[in-house]
Amino acid sequence: VSWSRDGDYLASCSRDKSVWVWEVMGEDFECASVLQVHTQDVKKVVWHPTDPLLFSASYDDSVKVYKEFGDDWECAESLTGHSSTVWGLSFNKSGDKFVSCSDDRTLRVWCRDENKATKYTCKSTVCGFHSRPIYDVSWGRHGYIATAAGDNAIRVFEQQGSSLLLSHLQSDAHSGDVNCVSWKGNLLASASDDETVRIWTLET
């Protein structure tokens, strides 16, 4: 699930291949749209940090971009490039870029088209750093990107131009797959199949 920036909408996704957009009506929620664009399970939904755009990641190897049209929501773009399940995505602070992570063990950095708000183009593919699927990614407001992977490790990257450089590797961060990472300032939280949540401090 994911809240829109203004709090007016809540998005949810499911293994039934659908994305639901819920409108907040006081203390109630009204279904504004049911989007059935993906052909496989939908793993994550994320709202754009500044604009009323919704993004979803799926088993069908794609990222979809949704925009409100009149009284309904529609798919405005389909972003492809990964060769396996897209597990997650995360935006930079301004929203002009996002990074996606995949079962294909790569990260992709997408940049916004200046002439079309819903269109993003892959500018960089980061590969060779992960030996197992990448289950989650978090782009902190300080610019560092953290990944959670099936090799029990956490990696932190920093952006240089359109490329990502590995700045830190925490091997055996957990004793099982790392499924989730999330930044809050210089603190990074991670969750794992080993049934623990750990808090890490970024030292630059």
Side-chain angles (χ1 to χ4, degrees):
V1 293
S2 178
W3 293 97
S4 63
R5 179 182 60 86
D6 56 14
D8 290 341
Y9 292 99
L10 176 68
S12 61
C13 62
S14 170
R15 294 181 65 183
D16 67 6
K17 311 173 189 177
S18 70
V19 172
W20 289 52
V21 179
W22 304 85
E23 187 172 2
V24 181
M25 311 287 287
E27 296 183 355
D28 297 321
F29 293 83
E30 181 177 305
C31 180
S33 189
V34 178
L35 300 157
Q36 296 177 308
V37 182
H38 286 291
T39 59
Q40 297 291 334
D41 302 8
V42 188
K43 305 311 298 179
K44 193 161 190 175
V45 282
V46 178
W47 289 94
H48 189 276
T50 61
D51 297 335
L53 299 173
L54 177 65
F55 291 66
S56 61
S58 169
Y59 263 15
D60 66 11
D61 311 343
S62 73
V63 173
K64 307 295 187 188
V65 186
Y66 308 95
K67 183 177 181 180
E68 191 172 16
F69 289 90
D71 295 329
D72 203 358
W73 290 76
E74 296 181 6
C75 181
E77 298 288 341
S78 181
L79 309 178
T80 58
H82 284 292
S83 60
S84 191
T85 301
V86 185
W87 287 102
L89 61 101
S90 183
F91 284 92
N92 68 347
K93 182 169 58 175
S94 65
D96 64 333
K97 297 176 184 176
F98 75 87
V99 59
S100 57
C101 63
S102 171
D103 213 63
D104 65 12
R105 298 173 294 182
T106 71
L107 298 170
R108 285 179 174 260
V109 179
W110 306 78
C111 297
R112 193 175 207 170
D113 189 320
E114 294 181 357
N115 299 314
K116 190 175 182 182
T118 59
K119 185 171 181 58
Y120 284 75
T121 303
C122 180
K123 296 296 186 181
S124 177
T125 301
V126 181
C127 56
F129 293 101
H130 300 81
S131 59
R132 298 289 302 278
I134 311 169
Y135 293 124
D136 196 23
V137 62
S138 179
W139 198 328
R141 296 181 67 84
H142 42 46
Y144 287 93
I145 296 169
T147 62
D151 58 5
N152 306 357
I154 294 171
R155 292 168 178 81
V156 176
F157 296 84
E158 57 182 318
Q159 189 175 20
Q160 289 198 359
S162 60
S163 299
L164 298 183
L165 299 180
L166 182 66
S167 64
H168 185 74
L169 167 62
Q170 185 66 49
S171 300
D172 298 319
H174 288 271
S175 59
D177 292 2
V178 187
N179 298 309
C180 184
V181 284
S182 181
W183 287 109
K184 179 176 174 56
N186 281 352
L187 296 179
L188 178 70
S190 61
S192 167
D193 279 354
D194 66 10
E195 302 179 0
T196 67
V197 173
R198 295 186 175 182
I199 308 298
W200 309 85
T201 301
L202 175 66
E203 296 181 353
T204 58

